[in-house]
Amino acid sequence: MIGRIRGILIEKTPPFVILETSAGVGYEIQVPMTTFYQLPEEGAETILSTHVSISENLHALYGFISVKDRSLFRELIKVNGVGPKLALAILSGMETDEFVLTVHDHNVDRLVKLPGVGKKTAERLLIEMTDKLKDWSVSAELIEQTERPAQSAGRSNDQTQEAISALVALGYKPQIASKAISKVATEGLKSEEIIRMALRQLAG
């Protein structure tokens, strides 16, 4: 199995990236947005920890900025009713440390705000993940959640549409994605920055 890929980041189209290795092979990899907005610019060398998912109709490669993120992904897909797509959406909606704290706090309300996570799924996650994550440590400081005031003037339509498409790909309904993006998109922001802010607002 492919557990790690180092290569040149040649394309970033959330939630997909393409890494080209020294052998000239370009790997298309799905990444959570928490990984996406930590990636360097195109053309830079990048290392991702990876997980290969093989089903009857699809072979997919998932990538993560850290081994800890990949470990959480692997624990999530073991939960009944949680496949790779939902696990990726969960990791896009909150950082690994945030998820661990959410489970430790048994915060159902926090989980149901994630795309594709209903109350029953949230409760199942808490039941099945509590024991698995009991020894997981978290950072001393979680990323401070802030909201940028919305400004409509000078908004980049291309960046906005790319951000909306990314949220839809993660499981949000188009109208919800569009509304969330419109509240945070401002002039000069890159699509990954817009996505990050929208995800935090949707989960807040």
Side-chain angles (χ1 to χ4, degrees), residues 9-190:
L9 183 62
I10 62 173
E11 187 175 322
K12 296 168 62 180
T13 306
F16 293 94
V17 300
I18 295 179
L19 286 188
E20 185 176 275
T21 65
S22 58
V25 178
Y27 290 91
E28 183 180 65
I29 308 169
Q30 293 187 60
V31 301
M33 294 312 303
T34 47
T35 285
F36 191 90
Y37 48 64
Q38 293 185 65
L39 294 174
E41 296 297 320
E42 292 180 2
E45 184 177 77
T46 305
I47 299 175
L48 292 177
S49 296
T50 56
H51 173 85
V52 179
S53 178
I54 300 176
S55 63
E56 183 178 351
N57 300 316
L58 178 67
H59 289 195
L61 186 61
Y62 299 91
F64 308 90
I65 202 71
S66 72
V67 173
K68 187 175 183 180
D69 290 349
R70 184 184 64 183
S71 295
L72 179 56
F73 176 85
R74 287 176 169 173
E75 292 296 343
L76 285 169
I77 60 177
K78 294 176 185 176
V79 175
N80 184 33
V82 178
K85 183 177 180 179
L86 181 53
L88 204 70
I90 290 171
L91 285 172
S92 290
M94 61 176 66
E95 302 279 351
T96 292
D97 283 355
E98 291 176 311
F99 182 84
V100 173
L101 287 179
T102 297
V103 171
H104 288 173
D105 292 339
H106 296 278
N107 192 335
V108 173
D109 293 338
R110 179 79 168 83
L111 291 177
V112 296
K113 292 179 180 179
L114 297 170
V117 179
K119 187 174 182 180
K120 288 184 178 180
T121 300
E123 291 173 344
R124 189 183 304 118
L125 282 167
L126 291 180
I127 291 172
E128 297 194 30
M129 297 297 290
T130 296
D131 188 58
K132 294 178 180 179
L133 302 180
K134 65 181 181 180
D135 295 326
W136 283 45
S137 61
V138 297
S139 59
E141 294 183 11
L142 294 176
I143 300 173
E144 183 179 354
Q145 297 187 16
T146 59
E147 290 187 3
R148 185 187 299 266
Q151 298 177 7
S152 59
R155 183 176 302 163
S156 170
N157 187 60
D158 288 344
Q159 298 296 318
T160 299
Q161 289 303 316
E162 185 175 333
I164 292 173
S165 296
L167 290 187
V168 171
L170 290 171
Y172 288 99
K173 294 181 179 179
Q175 60 269 32
I176 293 176
S178 180
K179 184 177 180 180
I181 294 299
S182 69
K183 289 182 178 180
V184 299
T186 60
E187 183 178 5
L189 288 180
K190 296 181 180 180

